[in-house]
Amino acid sequence: MLRTATASLAGTAIEFYDFFVYGTAAALVLGPLFFPTFSPLAGTLAAFGTFGVGFVARPLGSVLFGHIGDRHGRRPVLVASLLLTGASTVAVGCVPTYDTIGVAAPVLLLVLRFLQGLGLGGEWGGAVLLTVEHAPAHRRVLWSSFPQAGPALGFLLANGVVLGLSASLSAAQFADWGWRVPFWAAGVLAVAGLWLRSSLAESPGFLGIDDHARVPLVEVVRDHWRLVLLTAGALAVGYAVFYAVTTWSLAYATERLGVSRGAVLTCIMAAVLVKGVLTPVAALVGDRFGRRPMCMLGCAAAALWMFPMVALLSTGAPLQMFLGFLGAMLAFLTMFAVIAAYLPELYEPRVRCTGAAVGYNLGGVLGGALTPIVATALAEQGGRVPWGVAAYLTGVALVSLACFALLPETRPEPSPAAKVASSPAARG
């Protein structure tokens, strides 16, 4: 289990590194480099638009790779998705700017971002299912939290590289070539990830299927469409909160508040680091008390915290910003520490790779793709404190809370032996 979970964690971290490094670059430099004829606000919105294309591609990737995962196994998905995401990320670092090739530059950026999203749409389903289907039922959330911690690790790695380059290069050097280095580094990471995953065994859950679905997407749409829509709506708040903190806040604090790039990145990275460290703790609670209660608690916490978070961000003071980001990340991890076990448990094994991945990535479209764009536009209409952004995020949290309320609990019942072992008489 440890080897399988660690390999899933490493691969997921690498693929999310690829995805996140684009978001950081979109917030900092892609607007002026690829949309120079736009105003600063319009350039930022356009850069976030290409950022959002990756989320639109993710459900398509989950359909493509979900078909492979349900028909041919979870393991091939891990290799193919890592190759696609890694290659497209390296290529982003090689795209000439608008000044060199004109309108072809943003078009190429758009295509490569689409391919990034396509690969990542398959990654989550393959990595999570390989871990979940190997794990014992009573520790399914704990082991599945390994790949679920991969996004935090990938984010820290991506932003750590950007922060190091920002500190060692001048602003002109970073805009000229420094921003490309994190994209080129993705090639080395992809090779390392492929080596780690080369020895993984196929999951027992897949090997135990006697009758594979001919066209998994057709069965999901026909038999589980309500479940897909509910899971997408339920997960939207997690994406919205995460990208409000990691992408929109970075652009808002540097452009509108005049806070240094390094200070904002450090605050965000510190909050994400705490989130990553505490993810296994929240997973243990999910194994003990259930998946659905944790998700509803996280939604309620997000709804209550968005106004304080925006107020703390608007101070421009590092400590207050960190506290605002930390509260948001704690609400996020309360939900997403258990999601990697919860979603697969909602679907039958024959369509699990497609159903869980499509629901997960549609939530990304609703929450992740739209949030930086909507938040940037709302912030422009407000004063120093963008209360409209807080209201938008609170509304998303309430919608997700309603969706979770309509979903069932999936925590397996303890075995008779486990019940006896945990009884007061056995302990006493």
Side-chain angles (χ1 to χ4, degrees):
M1 271 312 310
L2 183 61
R3 188 164 66 95
T4 300
T6 302
S8 294
L9 164 65
T12 304
I14 291 165
E15 291 213 45
F16 273 91
Y17 164 90
D18 298 348
F19 202 72
F20 287 142
V21 80
Y22 189 101
T24 304
L28 296 176
V29 297
L30 295 187
L33 292 176
F34 288 87
F35 305 96
T37 59
F38 290 16
S39 68
L41 172 63
T44 300
L45 286 169
F48 281 151
T50 60
F51 171 78
V53 165
F55 285 97
V56 175
R58 283 173 63 169
L60 299 177
S62 64
V63 170
L64 171 63
F65 289 103
H67 183 91
I68 297 171
D70 284 325
R71 292 283 299 164
H72 305 289
R74 320 315 192 195
R75 188 173 174 272
V77 172
L78 301 185
V79 176
S81 63
L82 186 57
L83 279 172
L84 177 59
T85 308
S88 56
T89 304
V90 172
V92 170
C94 301
V95 175
T97 62
Y98 187 94
D99 289 342
T100 305
I101 60 173
V103 72
V107 171
L108 283 172
L109 204 63
L110 200 69
V111 171
L112 292 171
R113 179 60 175 173
F114 181 87
L115 293 176
Q116 259 194 335
L118 205 66
L120 194 65
E123 161 64 25
W124 186 85
V128 162
L129 289 191
L130 199 69
T131 306
V132 167
E133 291 178 344
H134 272 100
H138 71 289
R139 284 289 178 261
R140 200 172 284 153
V141 177
L142 176 62
W143 286 114
S144 67
S145 72
F146 275 66
Q148 199 65 353
L153 185 57
F155 177 84
L156 291 171
L157 186 60
N159 285 273
V161 172
V162 173
L163 187 60
L165 289 167
S166 297
S168 57
L169 301 175
S170 67
Q173 288 174 321
F174 185 81
D176 183 32
W177 58 269
W179 68 272
R180 299 181 183 274
V181 174
F183 291 94
W184 296 336
V188 178
L189 295 174
V191 172
L194 289 171
W195 176 77
L196 282 170
R197 288 180 165 183
S198 62
S199 61
L200 291 179
E202 186 53 78
S203 83
F206 175 78
L207 296 175
I209 299 173
D210 296 324
D211 183 23
H212 295 281
R214 289 178 58 85
V215 186
L217 179 63
V218 171
E219 289 195 23
V220 169
V221 173
R222 183 188 65 214
D223 302 330
H224 305 289
W225 61 270
R226 182 176 179 272
L227 182 58
V228 170
L229 293 179
L230 283 176
T231 52
L235 295 178
V237 63
Y239 284 102
V241 168
F242 190 87
Y243 287 99
V245 170
T246 61
T247 302
W248 169 74
S249 293
L250 178 59
Y252 179 78
T254 54
E255 295 174 8
R256 291 287 299 276
L257 303 180
V259 184
S260 72
R261 178 189 306 158
V264 186
L265 280 174
T266 301
C267 292
I268 295 172
M269 289 172 63
V272 174
L273 176 62
V274 175
K275 174 255 176 191
V277 170
L278 292 180
T279 293
V281 179
L284 284 170
V285 177
D287 271 325
R288 175 66 179 84
F289 296 103
R291 291 73 159 124
R292 183 168 167 267
M294 293 285 287
C295 292
M296 296 183 70
L297 177 62
C299 284
L304 293 171
W305 188 248
M306 290 303 97
F307 278 90
M309 185 197 79
V310 167
L312 290 166
L313 168 65
S314 299
T315 66
L319 179 58
Q320 283 90 323
M321 288 194 301
F322 165 71
L323 292 174
F325 299 154
L326 178 60
M329 286 296 100
L330 292 177
F332 171 86
L333 83 89
T334 304
M335 292 175 278
F336 272 57
V338 303
I339 283 298
Y342 190 27
L343 256 64
E345 289 171 346
L346 289 167
Y347 292 89
E348 57 182 310
R350 58 186 275 117
V351 295
R352 181 174 286 159
C353 196
T354 300
V358 168
Y360 186 85
N361 288 296
L362 279 177
V365 176
L366 298 174
L370 295 177
T371 293
I373 300 170
V374 172
T376 299
L378 289 173
E380 186 65 19
Q381 304 302 317
R384 181 175 176 84
V385 183
W387 297 120
V389 176
Y392 166 74
L393 294 172
T394 301
V396 175
L398 293 175
V399 169
S400 293
L401 180 62
C403 291
F404 275 122
L406 295 172
L407 289 170
E409 177 56 77
T410 61
R411 182 170 70 96
E413 285 294 322
S415 65
K419 289 181 178 179
V420 171
S422 62
S423 67
R427 291 196 303 267

